[in-house]
Amino acid sequence: MKYCAIASGSNGNCYYVAKGEDAVLIDVGINTKHIELRMGNLGIDPSRIKAIFITHEHSDHIRGLSVFCKRYQIPVYWTAGTCDGSRLHLPAHLVRIIAANARINIGEISVLGIPKFHDAKEPCSFVVTDGSTNVSIMTDLGRGCDNVKHVIQHSDVLLLESNYDEDMLEGGRYSYYLKNRIRSGWGHISNKASLELFLQHRSSRLKHLILGHLSEQNNTVELVEQTFLPHCEGIRLSVATRYQETDMFYLEDILQLRQIGA
């Protein structure tokens, strides 16, 4: 399997997972021009993507959806609540309404919906699996509910939200209302909460941890790396940002590096 973050942050999110000829996107939260540019950098042909899965209706997850799915005629899988909340009018032949806990088969891979706590109408995260390897995209987590904990325990590759530093949020310029929304248990999780979830629920099968959905105002890549790196012996650690795409990661390469201790 191969995977990457095309964009990850509070201003836009888009994730790619593929096996063989079967490729899916999780969210399309940046405009189509930038998606195409970043896909070009990674050697991804947008016309080969077979499905788009949308986690929820917030703009940083659907900003580029309407143009992108129509340009490439890609079906969009989302819950009824997300579809309604998006207020987008997509062509009927491209819309697939799914349950928040659905299992959708796309060729060689399956995409599993994971219900979660977030301040959206019917949000879910997604796990992409080929039956033996699980690539989990877990962002926009109000809290670490039982579903999230279960996913972490069974992930080979985990892209986990690490949204904000608690001190930066408290001392920052956000309004009192927005600060409370973020840390309410329905918004996002902090570096500290993300680390606790990782430490308490990771298993020996986890090979690659990617931290994502960092706040521009209330977090830094350096803080996230300082928080997690001491705890990642034997695990590849990466940080996905809003500024550019990650590398394209191949699970086989990660396994080889793990075996030789690189």
Coordinates of all heavy atoms in Angstrom, one line a residue, residues 191-244:
N191 N -1.7 18.4 21.6 CA -0.5 17.5 21.5 C -0.5 16.5 22.7 O -0.2 15.4 22.5 CB 0.8 18.4 21.6 CG 0.9 19.3 20.4 OD1 0.2 19.1 19.4 ND2 1.7 20.3 20.5
K192 N -0.8 17.0 23.9 CA -0.7 16.2 25.1 C -1.7 15.1 25.0 O -1.4 13.9 25.3 CB -1.0 17.1 26.3 CG -1.0 16.3 27.6 CD -1.3 17.2 28.8 CE -1.4 16.4 30.1 NZ -1.7 17.3 31.3
A193 N -3.0 15.4 24.6 CA -4.0 14.4 24.5 C -3.7 13.4 23.4 O -4.0 12.2 23.6 CB -5.4 15.0 24.3
S194 N -3.2 13.8 22.3 CA -2.8 13.0 21.2 C -1.7 12.0 21.7 O -1.7 10.8 21.4 CB -2.3 13.8 20.0 OG -2.0 13.0 19.0
L195 N -0.7 12.5 22.4 CA 0.4 11.7 22.9 C -0.1 10.6 23.8 O 0.2 9.4 23.8 CB 1.5 12.5 23.6 CG 2.6 11.7 24.2 CD1 3.4 11.0 23.1 CD2 3.5 12.6 25.0
E196 N -1.1 11.0 24.7 CA -1.6 10.0 25.7 C -2.4 8.9 24.9 O -2.2 7.7 25.3 CB -2.6 10.7 26.6 CG -1.8 11.6 27.6 CD -2.8 12.4 28.5 OE1 -4.0 12.4 28.3 OE2 -2.3 13.1 29.4
L197 N -3.1 9.3 23.9 CA -3.8 8.2 23.1 C -2.8 7.3 22.5 O -3.0 6.1 22.5 CB -4.7 8.9 22.0 CG -6.0 9.4 22.4 CD1 -6.6 10.3 21.3 CD2 -7.0 8.3 22.8
F198 N -1.8 7.9 21.9 CA -0.8 7.1 21.2 C -0.1 6.1 22.2 O 0.1 4.9 21.9 CB 0.2 8.0 20.6 CG 1.5 7.4 20.1 CD1 1.5 6.5 19.1 CD2 2.7 7.7 20.7 CE1 2.7 5.9 18.7 CE2 3.9 7.2 20.3 CZ 3.9 6.2 19.3
L199 N 0.3 6.6 23.3 CA 1.1 5.8 24.3 C 0.2 4.7 24.9 O 0.7 3.6 25.1 CB 1.7 6.7 25.4 CG 2.8 7.6 25.0 CD1 3.2 8.5 26.1 CD2 4.0 6.9 24.4
Q200 N -1.0 5.0 25.1 CA -1.9 4.1 25.8 C -2.5 3.0 24.9 O -2.8 1.9 25.4 CB -3.0 4.8 26.5 CG -2.6 5.7 27.7 CD -3.7 6.5 28.3 OE1 -4.9 6.4 27.9 NE2 -3.3 7.5 29.1
H201 N -2.6 3.3 23.6 CA -3.3 2.4 22.7 C -2.6 1.9 21.5 O -3.1 1.0 20.8 CB -4.6 3.1 22.3 CG -5.5 3.5 23.5 ND1 -6.2 2.6 24.2 CD2 -5.7 4.7 24.0 CE1 -6.8 3.2 25.2 NE2 -6.5 4.5 25.1
R202 N -1.3 2.3 21.3 CA -0.6 1.8 20.2 C -0.3 0.3 20.4 O -0.3 -0.2 21.6 CB 0.7 2.5 20.0 CG 1.7 2.3 21.2 CD 3.0 3.1 21.0 NE 3.9 3.0 22.1 CZ 5.1 3.5 22.2 NH1 5.5 4.2 21.1 NH2 5.8 3.4 23.3
S203 N 0.0 -0.4 19.4 CA 0.4 -1.8 19.5 C 1.6 -2.1 18.7 O 2.1 -1.2 18.0 CB -0.8 -2.8 18.9 OG -0.8 -2.7 17.5
S204 N 2.2 -3.3 18.8 CA 3.4 -3.6 18.1 C 3.3 -3.6 16.6 O 4.3 -3.6 15.9 CB 3.9 -5.0 18.6 OG 2.9 -6.0 18.3
R205 N 2.0 -3.6 16.1 CA 1.9 -3.6 14.6 C 2.1 -2.2 14.0 O 2.2 -2.1 12.8 CB 0.5 -4.2 14.3 CG -0.7 -3.3 14.6 CD -2.0 -4.0 14.3 NE -2.2 -4.1 12.8 CZ -3.2 -4.8 12.3 NH1 -4.1 -5.4 13.0 NH2 -3.3 -4.8 11.0
L206 N 2.0 -1.1 14.9 CA 2.2 0.2 14.3 C 3.6 0.4 13.8 O 4.6 0.3 14.5 CB 1.9 1.2 15.4 CG 1.9 2.7 14.9 CD1 0.8 2.9 13.9 CD2 1.7 3.6 16.1
K207 N 3.7 0.8 12.5 CA 4.9 1.0 11.9 C 5.2 2.5 11.5 O 6.4 2.8 11.4 CB 5.0 0.2 10.6 CG 4.7 -1.3 10.9 CD 4.4 -2.1 9.6 CE 4.0 -3.5 9.9 NZ 2.6 -3.6 10.4
H208 N 4.2 3.3 11.3 CA 4.4 4.6 10.9 C 3.3 5.5 11.6 O 2.1 5.3 11.4 CB 4.3 4.7 9.4 CG 4.7 6.0 8.8 ND1 4.6 6.3 7.4 CD2 5.3 7.1 9.4 CE1 5.1 7.5 7.2 NE2 5.5 8.0 8.4
L209 N 3.8 6.5 12.3 CA 2.9 7.5 12.9 C 3.1 8.8 12.2 O 4.2 9.3 12.1 CB 3.3 7.7 14.4 CG 2.5 8.8 15.1 CD1 1.0 8.5 15.2 CD2 3.1 9.0 16.5
I210 N 2.0 9.4 11.7 CA 2.0 10.7 11.1 C 1.2 11.6 11.9 O 0.0 11.3 12.1 CB 1.5 10.6 9.6 CG1 2.3 9.6 8.8 CG2 1.7 12.0 8.9 CD1 1.6 9.3 7.4
L211 N 1.7 12.7 12.3 CA 0.9 13.7 13.1 C 0.4 14.8 12.1 O 1.1 15.2 11.2 CB 1.7 14.4 14.2 CG 2.0 13.5 15.4 CD1 0.7 12.9 16.0 CD2 3.1 12.5 15.2
G212 N -0.9 15.1 12.3 CA -1.5 16.1 11.3 C -2.5 17.0 11.9 O -2.8 17.0 13.1
H213 N -3.1 17.8 11.0 CA -4.1 18.8 11.4 C -3.6 19.8 12.4 O -4.3 20.1 13.4 CB -5.4 18.1 11.8 CG -6.7 18.9 11.5 ND1 -6.9 20.2 12.0 CD2 -7.7 18.6 10.7 CE1 -8.0 20.6 11.6 NE2 -8.6 19.7 10.8
L214 N -2.4 20.2 12.3 CA -1.8 21.2 13.2 C -2.4 22.5 13.0 O -2.7 23.0 11.9 CB -0.3 21.3 13.0 CG 0.6 20.3 13.6 CD1 0.4 18.9 13.1 CD2 2.1 20.7 13.4
S215 N -2.7 23.2 14.1 CA -3.2 24.6 14.1 C -2.0 25.5 13.7 O -0.9 25.4 14.2 CB -3.7 25.0 15.5 OG -3.9 26.4 15.6
E216 N -2.3 26.5 12.8 CA -1.3 27.4 12.4 C -1.0 28.4 13.5 O 0.2 28.8 13.7 CB -1.8 28.2 11.2 CG -0.8 29.2 10.7 CD -1.2 29.9 9.4 OE1 -2.4 30.0 9.2 OE2 -0.3 30.2 8.6
Q217 N -2.0 28.8 14.3 CA -1.8 29.8 15.4 C -1.3 29.2 16.7 O -0.7 29.8 17.5 CB -3.1 30.5 15.6 CG -3.6 31.3 14.4 CD -2.7 32.4 14.0 OE1 -2.1 33.1 14.8 NE2 -2.5 32.6 12.7
N218 N -1.7 27.9 17.0 CA -1.5 27.3 18.3 C -0.6 26.1 18.4 O -0.7 25.3 19.3 CB -2.9 27.0 18.9 CG -3.8 28.2 18.9 OD1 -3.4 29.3 19.5 ND2 -4.9 28.2 18.3
N219 N 0.2 25.9 17.4 CA 1.1 24.8 17.4 C 2.3 25.0 16.4 O 2.2 25.9 15.6 CB 0.3 23.5 16.9 CG 0.8 22.2 17.6 OD1 1.9 22.2 18.2 ND2 0.1 21.1 17.4
T220 N 3.3 24.2 16.5 CA 4.4 24.2 15.6 C 4.9 22.8 15.3 O 4.7 21.9 16.1 CB 5.6 25.0 16.1 OG1 6.2 24.3 17.2 CG2 5.2 26.4 16.5
V221 N 5.5 22.6 14.1 CA 6.1 21.3 13.8 C 7.1 20.9 14.9 O 7.2 19.7 15.3 CB 6.7 21.3 12.4 CG1 7.5 20.0 12.1 CG2 5.6 21.5 11.4
E222 N 7.9 21.9 15.3 CA 9.0 21.6 16.3 C 8.4 21.1 17.6 O 8.9 20.1 18.2 CB 9.8 22.8 16.5 CG 10.6 23.3 15.3 CD 9.8 23.9 14.2 OE1 8.7 24.4 14.5 OE2 10.3 23.9 13.1
L223 N 7.3 21.7 18.1 CA 6.7 21.2 19.3 C 6.1 19.8 19.2 O 6.3 19.0 20.1 CB 5.5 22.2 19.7 CG 5.8 23.4 20.5 CD1 4.6 24.3 20.7 CD2 6.4 22.9 21.9
V224 N 5.5 19.5 18.1 CA 5.0 18.2 17.9 C 6.1 17.1 17.8 O 6.0 16.1 18.5 CB 4.1 18.1 16.6 CG1 3.7 16.7 16.2 CG2 2.9 19.0 16.7
E225 N 7.2 17.5 17.1 CA 8.3 16.5 17.1 C 8.9 16.3 18.4 O 9.2 15.2 18.8 CB 9.3 17.0 16.1 CG 8.9 16.9 14.6 CD 9.9 17.5 13.6 OE1 10.7 18.3 14.0 OE2 9.8 17.1 12.4
Q226 N 9.1 17.4 19.2 CA 9.7 17.3 20.5 C 8.8 16.5 21.4 O 9.3 15.7 22.3 CB 9.8 18.7 21.1 CG 10.9 19.5 20.5 CD 10.9 21.0 20.9 OE1 10.2 21.3 21.9 NE2 11.6 21.8 20.2
T227 N 7.5 16.5 21.3 CA 6.5 15.8 22.1 C 6.6 14.3 21.8 O 6.6 13.5 22.7 CB 5.1 16.3 21.9 OG1 5.1 17.7 22.2 CG2 4.1 15.6 22.7
F228 N 6.7 13.9 20.5 CA 6.5 12.5 20.2 C 7.8 11.8 19.9 O 7.8 10.6 20.2 CB 5.6 12.4 18.9 CG 4.1 12.6 19.2 CD1 3.6 13.9 19.2 CD2 3.3 11.5 19.4 CE1 2.2 14.0 19.4 CE2 2.0 11.6 19.6 CZ 1.4 12.9 19.7
L229 N 8.8 12.4 19.5 CA 10.0 11.7 19.0 C 10.6 10.8 20.1 O 11.0 9.7 19.8 CB 11.1 12.7 18.5 CG 12.2 12.1 17.8 CD1 11.7 11.3 16.6 CD2 13.2 13.2 17.3
P230 N 10.7 11.3 21.4 CA 11.2 10.4 22.4 C 10.5 9.1 22.6 O 11.0 8.2 23.3 CB 11.2 11.3 23.7 CG 11.1 12.7 23.2 CD 10.3 12.6 22.0
H231 N 9.3 9.0 22.1 CA 8.4 7.8 22.3 C 8.3 7.0 21.1 O 7.4 6.1 21.1 CB 7.1 8.3 22.8 CG 7.1 9.2 24.0 ND1 7.3 8.7 25.3 CD2 7.0 10.5 24.1 CE1 7.3 9.7 26.1 NE2 7.1 10.8 25.4
C232 N 9.1 7.2 20.0 CA 8.8 6.6 18.8 C 10.0 5.6 18.3 O 10.2 5.4 17.1 CB 8.6 7.6 17.7 SG 7.0 8.4 17.8
E233 N 10.7 5.0 19.3 CA 11.7 4.1 18.9 C 11.1 2.9 18.2 O 10.1 2.3 18.6 CB 12.4 3.6 20.2 CG 13.6 2.6 19.9 CD 14.3 2.2 21.1 OE1 14.0 2.7 22.2 OE2 15.2 1.4 21.0
G234 N 11.6 2.6 17.0 CA 11.1 1.5 16.2 C 9.9 1.9 15.4 O 9.4 1.0 14.6
I235 N 9.5 3.1 15.4 CA 8.3 3.6 14.6 C 8.8 4.8 13.8 O 9.4 5.7 14.3 CB 7.2 4.0 15.6 CG1 6.7 2.8 16.4 CG2 6.0 4.6 14.8 CD1 5.6 3.2 17.4
R236 N 8.4 4.8 12.5 CA 8.7 6.0 11.7 C 7.8 7.1 12.1 O 6.6 6.9 12.3 CB 8.4 5.6 10.2 CG 8.5 6.8 9.2 CD 9.9 7.1 8.9 NE 10.0 8.2 7.9 CZ 10.1 7.9 6.6 NH1 10.1 6.7 6.1 NH2 10.1 8.9 5.7
L237 N 8.3 8.3 12.3 CA 7.6 9.5 12.7 C 7.6 10.5 11.6 O 8.7 10.9 11.1 CB 8.1 10.1 14.0 CG 7.4 11.4 14.5 CD1 6.0 11.1 14.8 CD2 8.2 12.0 15.7
S238 N 6.5 11.0 11.2 CA 6.4 12.1 10.2 C 5.4 13.2 10.7 O 4.5 12.8 11.5 CB 6.0 11.6 8.9 OG 6.8 10.6 8.4
V239 N 5.5 14.4 10.2 CA 4.5 15.4 10.5 C 4.0 16.0 9.2 O 4.8 16.4 8.3 CB 5.1 16.6 11.4 CG1 4.1 17.6 11.6 CG2 5.7 16.0 12.7
A240 N 2.7 16.0 9.0 CA 2.1 16.5 7.8 C 1.7 17.9 8.1 O 1.2 18.3 9.1 CB 0.9 15.7 7.4
T241 N 1.9 18.8 7.1 CA 1.6 20.2 7.3 C 0.6 20.8 6.2 O 0.4 20.1 5.2 CB 2.8 21.1 7.3 OG1 3.4 21.2 5.9 CG2 3.9 20.5 8.2
R242 N 0.2 22.0 6.4 CA -0.6 22.7 5.4 C 0.2 23.2 4.2 O -0.4 23.5 3.2 CB -1.3 23.9 6.1 CG -0.4 25.0 6.5 CD -1.0 26.0 7.3 NE -1.5 25.5 8.5 CZ -2.7 25.7 9.1 NH1 -3.5 26.6 8.5 NH2 -3.1 25.2 10.2
Y243 N 1.5 23.3 4.4 CA 2.3 24.1 3.4 C 2.7 23.3 2.2 O 2.9 23.9 1.1 CB 3.5 24.6 4.1 CG 3.2 25.4 5.3 CD1 3.5 24.9 6.6 CD2 2.6 26.7 5.2 CE1 3.2 25.7 7.7 CE2 2.3 27.4 6.3 CZ 2.6 26.9 7.6 OH 2.3 27.7 8.7
Q244 N 2.8 22.0 2.3 CA 3.1 21.2 1.1 C 2.8 19.7 1.4 O 2.5 19.3 2.5 CB 4.6 21.2 0.8 CG 5.5 20.6 1.9 CD 7.0 20.8 1.6 OE1 7.5 21.9 1.3 NE2 7.7 19.7 1.6

